[in-house]
Amino acid sequence: MSKNKVNAKREAYAKKQEEQGKKVVAWIFGALIVLAIIYMIWTFSMMA
C-alpha cells in the first residue's frame, strides 16, 4: 500500500475512535447526573 492509503486509514480510525470516545464521555456524564438526582431524592426523603 502506498503511504497515502495508510495515512487515510489511520485518520479514519482516529476519527472513529474520537467519536466513540465522545459517546462514552456523554454516557458517563449522563449516568453521573442521574445518580445525583437519585441521591437528592433519597436525601430529601430521609429528611422528611
Side-chain angles (χ1 to χ4, degrees):
M1 277 194 226
S2 68
K3 284 190 175 187
N4 288 338
K5 286 185 181 180
V6 172
N7 286 339
K9 283 187 178 184
R10 189 173 291 151
E11 288 175 9
Y13 181 74
K15 185 176 180 183
K16 183 178 176 185
Q17 288 292 97
E18 182 180 354
E19 290 172 4
Q20 287 178 345
K22 286 181 182 180
K23 282 184 183 180
V24 170
V25 170
W27 273 101
I28 291 170
F29 277 119
L32 287 173
I33 290 169
V34 168
L35 288 172
I37 291 170
I38 292 170
Y39 180 72
M40 282 178 24
I41 292 169
W42 178 74
T43 303
F44 285 126
S45 69
M46 294 298 287
M47 295 173 105

